[in-house]
């Protein structure tokens, strides 16, 4: 096979070529993906080449890319190979997609895009490029593709239907990759049959002696690469020499490549090493680096030896086989590699990750300057949403750190990030060796230690003391631009929130008040909207809304989670859902697992309010399984609350009790007020559903006393209606009114429409006629009230109860029926039962469905009389229509009323309103 030219005859590959031709034809019409698998050297690359040539001959445009071992940790390196030839197509995309791809591959320095946006943009780019003619993307050595590129291309490959784009990639059978192979067809390339192997040898090496030919066929065992390369070695042996025991095939093949490379002139081997270490195939970078070293890149000899292919027009350099690249590096000395990496580093901007990475590879001993560059690069990579890349860079920075404290700090930060990636808290535990948390720990060590103590053990007070002390004793506790301090503040606010105690809140505000030039925006918002929303949220909502709006362009799962947490108690989570789902998918795809768990938790919180309880149950189950796998005790108890609250609303008393008892037993000794408040909420809701108002009052006032919205108990905003109803039902009218007054005084009804609904309904519960009716109507008229079905149904129920007691039965029925229908839909049986009981007290059957079911048991004549009576006709009018006497009509009505469960004509009309006479 000759690259870029006509194909030589391939032996024993007719079946594979037929399938590949069919793939290209299918892709040209409606898009398709295919994976080639097989052992090393079996001929996957040759088949990719053949397919590329044949596809081009059929009028398709072919793009080539390849995974590179030395760039497997460099984000978007593989994607750059595909995007670069299509730069002229980028202007056809939407501005958002164009900017996303340009940022991902380094063509601009804008806000890093999220992975889903990059994936969608990549699909749009390939689809647009295929508008002119079919497009085939060919990727060799897929397992060496960097993680982000592999995930993006995996997304694209599974969504090519209707696109006129083909995706063809090669894997070794025993290799794993971040590329998701699920759902894509595979073609396994087998070693050549004996006849085909012999024909290949005879065609390429017709002058081999029979002895060497036989030895070759035996050693190669049908592997085409070995068949082509081994004759060079076998033919060079002295006749009669003793046969050598063959080493493993991969080692033998590497040695064969080495022999071919060793024969190259020195002026070629240097640039070839640059190309091997550069990895991306950027011919300009290689040539410039070579020119700086030797004056000119003499690569012609390597190209003539068929080790590489150079496409000057496209500016690309490709190795013909991955083993060639590995052999080039293996044959070089450490000094030669260092020199090459240093030359490559000079080709990139000083603040780029590639510059730092190549300098690190060129450094053989401790070097703080390079370690600092790597640490800064890690921060940039993490902000781009690639925690894996950040962790790799930090670990290399730790290796190069001359001072033990810096080495430990960078190792611990890598472990801290690694926990988010792997979800395994043992990664952090391993670097927190005995004694490392003794005073005075560095801020990085204290950060990792506090995060570990909080998540794995819920040790709030110990972790709080550790991190506050480390902040106070850090070199500059006022530097708001210190990224480690920023992370420490995030952990500190979490400790304060989960503790939910006034003294913890004060410590947080003390630390924040001395930050210069100003506190970090996101941490400042968390202090207002999450730690003390009742007291501080209202003035900062515009700032939070702007940050939530920015999530559309956000790729960092950690940032998404933190904004979601800030949005939780001020009802901004619905606007965060798309970003939170990206964090979930990022975790599911092997990204930040911890952020994935937290995203599931936040989506569940939003689903509780939105009435999506079955979905909440499913998400909580998924998240709890991850918590149990990775030992996240605290998060698991927060997720248990979601199960407990749904069980409470649906009347599953045993499940609710078991879960809340577990929560209280765990949280009590740890003084975790947050988890305790969750448990009290679930118990109070269960009691309200069963009309046990005294128990409900005891539980809900444990969260916040009547007449007070405790500033440090954010969850008090979720139980306002519970407290006011429980207080009123137990005769504590003054307490109920005081709590409404407290809620109104804080202005929390202006935080969100949902809180406006809740506060207005609570005010209606303590008001007298006619003001109560006006307030109930105002609550129900809140824009978008149906987005919170359970709370909406509770307002309908309370209003209907009030109307029934005021003898307004007809009006009461409409609200009680609305409440019953919503409760039924949610599966909130205790609450639906309350609504049905109230409906029966108005003379209406418990459900329209009951009436519809009962009408089927009537005789045809009784059914017609019932429908006419429900339509408002008198006995005489019904009799005239049916040729019956009014007395007979009255007798029929007397008989059918009990069958339908009604006692009056008015109740009959309401019950059968959905069944008018024909």
């Amino acid at each position: 096979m000759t690259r870029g030219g006509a194909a030589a005859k391939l032996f024993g590959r007719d079946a594979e070529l037929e399938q590949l031709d069919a793939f290209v034809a299918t892709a040209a019409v409606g898009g398709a993906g295919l994976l080639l698998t097989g052992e090393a050297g079996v001929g996957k690359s040759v088949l990719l080449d053949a397919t590329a040539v044949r596809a081009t001959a059929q009028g398709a445009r072919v793009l080539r890319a390849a995974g590179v071992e030395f760039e497997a940790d460099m984000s978007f390196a593989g994607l750059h190979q595909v995007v670069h030839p299509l730069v002229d197509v980028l202007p056809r995309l939407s501005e958002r997609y164009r900017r996303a791809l340009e940022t991902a591959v380094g063509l601009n320095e804008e806000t890093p895009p999220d992975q889903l946006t990059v994936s969608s943009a990549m699909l749009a780019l390939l689809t647009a490029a295929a508008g002119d003619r079919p497009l085939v993307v060919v990727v060799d050595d897929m397992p060496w593709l960097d993680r982000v590129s592999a995930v993006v291309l995996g997304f694209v490959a599974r969504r090519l239907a209707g696109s006129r784009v083909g995706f063809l990639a090669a894997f070794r059978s025993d290799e794993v990759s971040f590329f998701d192979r699920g759902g894509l067809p595979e073609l396994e390339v087998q070693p050549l049959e004996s006849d085909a192997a012999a024909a290949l040898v005879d065609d390429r090496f017709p002058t081999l002696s029979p002895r060497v030919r036989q030895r070759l066929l035996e050693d190669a065992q049908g592997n085409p690469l070995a068949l082509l390369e081994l004759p060079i070695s076998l033919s060079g042996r002295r006749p009669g020499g003793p046969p050598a025991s063959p080493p493993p095939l991969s080692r033998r093949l590497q040695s064969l490549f080495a022999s071919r490379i060793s024969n190259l002139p020195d002026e070629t081997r240097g640039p070839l090493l640059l190309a091997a270490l550069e990895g991306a195939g950027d011919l300009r970078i290689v040539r410039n680096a070579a020119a700086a070293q030797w004056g000119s890149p003499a690569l012609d000899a390597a190209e003539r030896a068929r080790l590489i292919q150079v496409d000057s027009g496209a500016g690309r350099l490709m190795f013909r086989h991955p083993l060639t690249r590995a052999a080039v590096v293996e044959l070089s000395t450490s000094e030669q590699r260092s020199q090459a990496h240093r030359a490559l580093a000079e080709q990139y901007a000083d603040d780029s990750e590639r510059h730092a990475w190549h300098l690190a590879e060129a450094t053989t001993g401790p070097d703080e300057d390079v370690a600092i560059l790597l640490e800064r690069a890690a921060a940039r990579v993490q902000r781009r949403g690639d925690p894996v890349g950040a962790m790799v860079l930090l670990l290399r920075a730790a290796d190069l750190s001359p001072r033990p404290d810096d080495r430990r700090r960078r190792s611990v930060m890598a472990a801290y990030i690694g926990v988010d990636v792997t979800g395994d808290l043992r990664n952090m535990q391993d670097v927190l060796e005995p004694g490392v948390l003794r005073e005075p720990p560095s801020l990085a060590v204290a950060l990792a230690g506090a995060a570990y103590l909080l998540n794995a053990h819920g040790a709030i007070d110990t972790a709080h003391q550790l991190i506050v002390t480390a902040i106070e004793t850090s070199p500059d506790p006022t530097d708001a631009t210190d990224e480690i301090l920023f992370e420490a503040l995030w952990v500190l606010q979490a400790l304060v929130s989960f503790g939910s105690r006034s003294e913890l809140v004060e410590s947080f505000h003390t630390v924040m008040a001395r930050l210069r030039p100003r506190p970090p925006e996101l941490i400042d918002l968390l202090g207002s909207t999450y730690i003390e929303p009742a007291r501080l949220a209202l003035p900062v909502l515009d700032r939070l809304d702007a940050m939530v709006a920015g999530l559309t362009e956000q790729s960092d799962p950690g940032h998404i989670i933190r904004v979601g947490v800030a949005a939780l108690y001020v009802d901004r989570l619905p606007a965060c859902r798309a970003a939170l789902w990206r964090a979930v998918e990022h975790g599911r795809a092997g990204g930040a697992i911890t952020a994935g768990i937290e995203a599931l938790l936040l989506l569940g919180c939003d689903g509780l309010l939105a009435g999506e309880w079955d979905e909440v149950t499913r998400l909580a189950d998924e998240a709890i399984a991850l918590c149990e796998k990775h030992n996240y005790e605290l998060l698991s108890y927060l997720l248990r609350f979601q199960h407990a609250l749904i069980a409470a609303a649906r009347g599953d008393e045993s499940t609710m009790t078991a879960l809340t008892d577990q929560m209280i037993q765990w949280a009590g000794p740890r003084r975790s007020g947050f988890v305790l408040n969750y448990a009290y909420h679930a118990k109070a809701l269960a009691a309200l559903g069963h009309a046990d108002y005294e128990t409900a009052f005891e539980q809900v006032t444990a969260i916040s006393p009547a007449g007070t919205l405790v500033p440090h108990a954010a969850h008090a905003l979720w139980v306002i209606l519970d407290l006011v109803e429980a207080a009123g039902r137990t005769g504590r009218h003054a307490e109920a009114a005081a709590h409404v007054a407290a809620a109104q005084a804080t202005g929390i009804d202006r935080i969100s429409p949902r809180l406006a609904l809740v506060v207005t309904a609570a005010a209606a519960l303590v008001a007298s006629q006619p003001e109560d009716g006006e307030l109930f109507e105002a609550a129900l008229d809140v824009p978008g009230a149906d987005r919170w079905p359970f709370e909406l149904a509770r307002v309908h129920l309370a209003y209907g109860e009030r109307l029934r007691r005021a003898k307004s039965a007809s009006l009461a029925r409409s609200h009680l029926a609305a409440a019953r229908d919503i409760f039924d839909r949610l599966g909130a049986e205790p609450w639906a039962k309350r609504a049905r009981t109230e409906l029966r007290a108005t003379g209406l059957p418990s459900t329209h469905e009951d009436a519809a079911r009962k009408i089927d048991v009537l005789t045809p004549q009784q059914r017609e009389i019932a429908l006419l009576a429900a339509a408002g006709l008198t006995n005489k009018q019904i009799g005239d229509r049916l040729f019956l006497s009014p007395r007979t009509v009255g007798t029929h009505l007397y008989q059918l009323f009990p069958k339908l469960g009604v006692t009056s004509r008015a109740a009959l009309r309401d019950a059968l309103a959905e069944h008018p006479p024909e």
Side-chain angles (χ1 to χ4, degrees):
M1 192 71 205
T2 57
R3 296 259 178 144
K9 184 178 180 181
L10 295 181
F11 295 86
R13 295 303 187 203
D14 291 344
E16 288 88 347
L17 289 172
E18 183 178 350
Q19 292 185 59
L20 288 166
D21 285 343
F23 155 75
V24 171
T26 300
V29 175
L34 180 65
L35 302 179
L36 287 184
T37 64
E39 66 182 27
V42 78
K44 301 183 297 297
S45 296
V46 171
L47 285 170
L48 291 182
D49 291 341
T51 304
V53 171
R54 293 156 82 101
T56 301
Q58 294 173 31
R61 180 179 183 178
V62 177
L63 296 182
R64 299 297 300 263
V68 178
E69 177 180 359
F70 309 104
E71 287 203 332
D73 293 326
M74 299 186 70
S75 300
F76 297 108
L79 205 63
H80 186 277
Q81 299 179 52
V82 182
V83 174
H84 180 77
L86 298 178
V87 170
D88 59 325
V89 184
L90 287 174
R92 303 187 201 173
L93 306 184
S94 68
E95 182 179 0
R96 181 186 177 200
Y97 281 172
R98 177 183 57 77
R99 288 166 51 199
L101 287 177
E102 288 177 346
T103 303
V105 301
L107 296 178
N108 64 43
E109 296 293 331
E110 296 185 9
T111 301
D114 62 88
Q115 189 168 286
L116 182 59
T117 300
V118 174
S119 300
S120 301
M122 193 66 210
L123 180 60
L125 177 68
L126 296 179
T127 302
D132 301 326
R133 54 175 172 151
L135 177 70
V136 179
V137 179
V138 178
V139 183
D140 203 355
D141 220 30
M142 177 63 79
W144 285 119
L145 214 61
D146 63 280
R147 182 188 63 82
V148 178
S149 298
V151 171
V152 170
L153 291 177
F155 174 97
V156 169
R158 295 190 301 276
R159 292 167 173 81
L160 293 176
S163 65
R164 301 182 72 208
V165 177
F167 182 88
L168 180 63
F171 282 84
R172 288 191 192 176
S173 298
D174 57 348
E175 288 180 318
V176 295
S177 169
F178 289 105
F179 182 93
D180 184 2
R181 298 161 66 168
L184 288 176
E186 295 188 8
L187 171 58
E188 184 174 4
V189 182
Q190 301 287 349
L192 294 175
E193 297 289 345
S194 57
D195 290 346
L200 172 59
V201 170
D202 292 342
D203 181 77
R204 293 297 184 91
F205 308 104
T207 61
L208 283 181
S209 68
R211 181 187 62 81
V212 172
R213 179 180 181 276
Q214 183 60 34
R215 175 68 189 276
L216 169 62
L217 293 173
E218 291 174 357
D219 285 354
Q221 296 184 0
N223 185 285
L225 186 61
L227 289 167
L228 293 174
E229 301 295 342
L230 283 173
I232 299 172
S233 174
L234 294 175
S235 297
R237 290 184 178 176
R238 287 179 298 175
S245 299
L249 182 62
S250 60
R251 186 174 301 174
R252 168 173 286 179
L253 291 176
Q254 277 206 2
S255 69
L256 294 175
F257 282 118
S259 65
R260 294 173 63 185
I261 295 165
S262 299
N263 292 327
L264 294 174
D266 291 341
E267 61 271 20
T268 297
R269 292 178 60 183
L272 196 61
L273 178 61
L274 285 172
L277 296 177
E278 188 275 333
D282 191 324
L283 188 59
R284 181 186 63 83
I285 294 291
V286 173
R287 281 176 170 167
N288 289 346
Q293 292 290 106
W294 299 286
S296 63
L299 292 168
D300 293 350
E303 194 171 11
R304 286 194 299 272
R306 300 176 61 240
L307 296 174
I308 61 171
Q309 177 193 1
V310 175
D311 186 340
S312 298
R316 311 298 294 168
L317 181 152
M318 295 178 60
F319 280 83
R320 289 183 54 82
H321 196 280
L323 291 178
T324 309
R325 185 192 305 273
V328 169
V329 176
E330 183 180 320
L331 280 175
S332 64
T333 66
S334 60
E335 177 58 33
Q336 288 171 334
R337 290 193 294 273
S338 294
Q339 184 180 7
H341 277 298
R342 203 169 287 111
L344 290 168
E346 294 301 318
Q347 304 306 312
Y348 298 98
D350 291 347
D351 61 349
S352 72
E353 292 95 77
R354 286 178 180 265
H355 176 77
W357 181 77
H358 280 299
L359 278 183
E361 292 300 300
T363 303
T364 57
D367 189 320
E368 180 62 14
D369 291 338
V370 177
I372 289 172
L373 289 176
L374 287 169
E375 189 170 6
R376 291 173 181 169
R380 290 192 298 272
V381 168
Q382 188 176 12
R383 285 195 297 270
R384 287 168 55 186
D386 183 15
V388 175
M391 182 174 62
V392 170
L393 291 169
L394 275 172
L395 288 173
R396 181 59 176 147
D399 290 340
L400 297 179
S401 301
R403 293 183 292 274
D405 287 347
D406 289 330
R407 187 179 309 115
R408 176 182 295 165
R409 172 175 58 81
R410 288 161 179 153
S411 296
V412 170
M413 282 303 296
Y416 176 75
I417 295 171
V419 166
D420 194 40
V421 176
T422 65
D424 192 345
L425 289 169
R426 291 172 299 183
N427 290 349
M428 195 178 295
Q429 185 179 13
D430 291 343
V431 299
L432 297 174
E433 65 269 14
V436 76
L437 295 181
R438 293 176 186 169
E439 300 226 7
S442 70
L443 186 55
V445 173
L447 164 63
Y452 172 73
L453 291 169
L454 174 65
N455 286 294
H457 303 293
I460 292 172
D461 290 341
T462 302
H464 177 265
Q465 181 180 3
L466 175 66
I467 203 159
V468 168
T469 301
I471 291 173
E472 291 175 347
T473 59
S474 64
D476 186 0
T478 69
D479 184 5
T481 64
D482 186 331
E483 295 199 12
I484 297 180
L485 179 58
F486 178 87
E487 291 295 326
L489 292 171
W490 160 250
V491 173
L492 177 60
Q493 71 79 30
L495 290 163
V496 169
S497 302
F498 293 136
S500 294
R501 282 178 266 130
S502 58
E503 66 272 18
L504 299 181
V505 175
E506 290 173 6
S507 71
F508 174 80
H509 290 309
T510 299
V511 171
M512 293 288 286
R514 64 186 177 213
L515 294 174
R516 298 292 181 271
R518 64 183 62 84
E521 177 73 353
L522 181 49
I523 303 297
D524 192 40
L525 288 175
L526 283 162
S528 299
T529 64
Y530 186 62
I531 294 178
E532 295 190 82
R535 185 171 73 90
L536 300 175
L538 199 57
V540 304
L541 291 178
D542 288 345
R543 291 160 54 194
L544 177 62
D545 288 339
M547 190 161 284
V548 169
L551 291 181
T552 57
E553 301 293 333
Q554 183 55 243
S555 60
D556 179 5
H559 182 83
I560 291 170
I561 295 306
R562 294 171 189 188
V563 175
V565 171
L568 171 58
Y569 281 110
V570 291
D571 297 325
R572 264 63 177 177
L573 276 182
C576 303
R577 287 185 67 88
L580 289 170
W581 273 114
R582 292 200 302 273
V584 171
E585 295 302 331
H586 190 274
R588 287 172 175 172
I593 293 176
T594 307
I597 296 173
E598 292 168 330
L600 290 168
L601 172 62
L602 289 168
L603 287 166
C605 289
D606 186 54
L608 287 175
L609 298 178
E612 299 169 352
W613 293 352
D614 292 337
E615 175 73 358
V616 171
T617 299
R618 186 184 67 78
L619 296 179
D621 284 339
E622 178 182 352
I624 288 172
L626 290 170
C627 288
E628 291 175 348
K629 178 180 179 180
H630 300 296
N631 197 32
Y632 279 85
E633 281 195 5
L634 174 60
L635 291 177
S636 73
Y637 283 102
L638 301 182
L639 289 156
R640 283 183 175 92
F641 160 69
Q642 298 181 359
H643 280 314
L645 197 69
I646 294 172
R650 287 179 165 172
D652 186 351
E653 191 78 16
S654 60
T655 297
M656 184 280 301
T657 301
L659 289 170
T660 53
D661 286 351
Q662 291 172 17
M663 294 164 68
I664 292 170
Q665 290 169 11
W666 184 87
R670 293 165 173 82
R671 304 180 70 197
S672 176
F674 202 88
V675 176
L676 289 173
N677 289 343
Y678 272 8
Y680 299 148
H681 183 186
K683 285 182 174 293
L685 188 66
L688 286 171
H690 294 291
D692 182 0
Y693 301 112
E694 188 64 38
T695 298
F697 184 79
E698 292 174 1
Q699 296 294 331
V700 78
T701 52
I703 300 173
S704 186
T708 303
L709 288 172
V710 177
H712 56 263
H715 204 63
L717 270 62
W718 274 32
V719 294
I720 294 171
L721 197 58
D722 305 67
L723 193 154
V724 172
E725 181 178 7
R729 296 281 191 168
T730 57
R732 297 177 173 92
H733 301 295
E735 288 91 334
H739 205 67
V740 172
Q744 292 172 330
T746 61
I748 63 172
D749 55 326
R750 302 199 303 275
I751 289 178
S752 72
R754 187 189 70 82
L755 286 170
L757 180 150
V758 168
V759 173
T760 306
L765 289 176
V766 301
S768 302
Q769 291 183 331
E771 184 185 4
D772 59 345
E774 295 172 357
L775 289 169
F776 276 123
E777 292 290 348
L780 295 172
D781 286 341
V782 166
D786 57 350
R787 288 180 292 172
W788 313 288
F790 186 66
E791 288 168 320
L792 177 65
R794 289 183 63 179
V795 177
H796 276 300
L797 176 60
Y799 192 14
E801 290 172 336
R802 187 70 63 93
L803 288 168
R804 186 187 69 77
R805 286 164 178 75
K807 308 302 182 183
S808 297
S810 180
L811 286 174
R813 289 184 195 115
S814 63
H815 290 288
L816 294 171
R820 176 209 57 210
D821 291 345
I822 295 173
F823 290 140
D824 280 340
R825 187 171 71 249
L826 294 173
E829 178 55 29
W831 296 83
K833 184 177 180 181
R834 280 181 54 182
R836 287 194 292 269
T837 299
E838 289 289 330
L839 276 169
R840 282 195 295 271
T842 68
L844 189 69
S846 60
T847 66
H848 290 309
E849 289 78 14
D850 288 344
R853 187 166 53 252
K854 291 173 181 176
I855 200 172
D856 292 335
V857 305
L858 303 179
T859 66
Q861 190 171 64
Q862 286 176 331
R863 184 176 185 278
E864 194 162 10
I865 290 171
L867 292 172
L868 291 171
L873 276 67
T874 65
N875 287 5
K876 184 176 185 306
Q877 289 171 325
I878 295 171
D880 290 344
R881 181 173 293 194
L882 300 179
F883 303 104
L884 298 173
S885 69
R887 183 185 298 274
T888 301
V889 172
T891 300
H892 280 299
L893 288 172
Y894 178 77
Q895 293 172 344
L896 66 85
F897 275 8
K899 292 184 178 181
L900 296 180
V902 298
T903 58
S904 67
R905 189 181 290 256
L908 177 67
R909 181 173 58 253
D910 289 337
L912 302 184
E914 296 180 359
H915 301 275
E918 297 178 359

